[in-house]
Amino acid sequence: MSDEKLKQLIKETIGNNDPYWNEPVFTVVKKIIDLPDNTECVLSSLVEGHDITETKFMFEIDKAVNEVCKKLNINLDKSKHAGQTIGLPFNISFVKKPLIVLPDNLKDYVYILNGDVFAKQKLPVELESEFEKFKRELK
């Protein structure tokens, strides 16, 4: 995605063109895009040139970055910390993963748990090959 398209997506997601918000979100999202899949990172370490002790600012940046990443099919997976009370969301590590999007014809028959795909029941014969293909693509 070009920088201009990403800036436009950020502008649409945030709802304004205020550089105070847009520039740090752009910088952080660009860094996340450049990370290899399955890299562990902390959002607050990606914010530059701003006072990260300003909690309201960081909450808003965290929210905007997560929304933009979802639109880019990037999952900032914090499941490693599920059920833990450990701190502010922008200081909790995440693992960059592509979002898993199930094909429409498989949605009723499969589920995803911890990044693995499972069949809920025996699949109809006509969907077995598509299910196997989808599993291979995830690996």
Side-chain angles (χ1 to χ4, degrees):
M1 171 176 277
S2 72
D3 286 357
E4 290 309 311
K5 285 184 180 181
L6 180 57
K7 287 177 181 178
Q8 184 61 34
L9 176 65
I10 291 168
K11 178 181 172 184
E12 292 167 4
T13 302
I14 293 176
N16 66 49
N17 200 20
D18 184 350
Y20 179 77
W21 299 108
N22 294 18
E23 288 176 12
V25 171
F26 174 79
T27 302
V28 170
V29 171
K30 284 291 283 184
K31 289 178 182 179
I32 291 172
I33 289 170
D34 292 340
L35 289 173
D37 285 347
N38 299 312
T39 300
E40 189 168 355
C41 194
V42 177
L43 186 117
S44 60
S45 70
L46 301 175
V47 177
E48 295 177 351
H50 291 274
D51 184 6
I52 65 169
T53 61
E54 189 179 320
T55 305
K56 181 174 177 8
F57 170 79
M58 288 303 294
F59 271 110
E60 294 298 323
I61 296 299
D62 181 70
K63 179 182 171 189
V65 165
N66 278 284
E67 288 177 25
V68 171
C69 284
K70 283 180 186 173
K71 291 180 180 181
L72 293 172
N73 203 31
I74 298 171
N75 179 21
L76 305 181
D77 182 14
K78 295 182 180 181
S79 63
K80 173 181 172 181
H81 307 289
Q84 299 175 352
T85 306
I86 57 174
L88 299 169
F90 47 84
N91 288 329
I92 298 173
S93 65
F94 63 85
V95 177
K96 177 193 172 193
K97 294 186 176 184
L99 280 175
I100 300 170
V101 180
L102 285 171
D104 288 337
N105 59 344
L106 290 177
K107 285 183 180 180
D108 292 335
Y109 300 101
V110 301
Y111 66 96
I112 300 171
L113 179 65
N114 296 329
D116 293 321
V117 181
F118 301 95
K120 294 179 188 176
Q121 58 194 9
K122 181 144 176 62
L123 291 170
V125 175
E126 62 271 10
L127 293 178
E128 286 178 2
S129 64
E130 184 156 348
F131 176 66
E132 291 303 321
K133 177 184 170 194
F134 180 70
K135 283 179 24 178
R136 280 191 307 276
E137 289 173 0
L138 283 179
K139 302 293 180 206

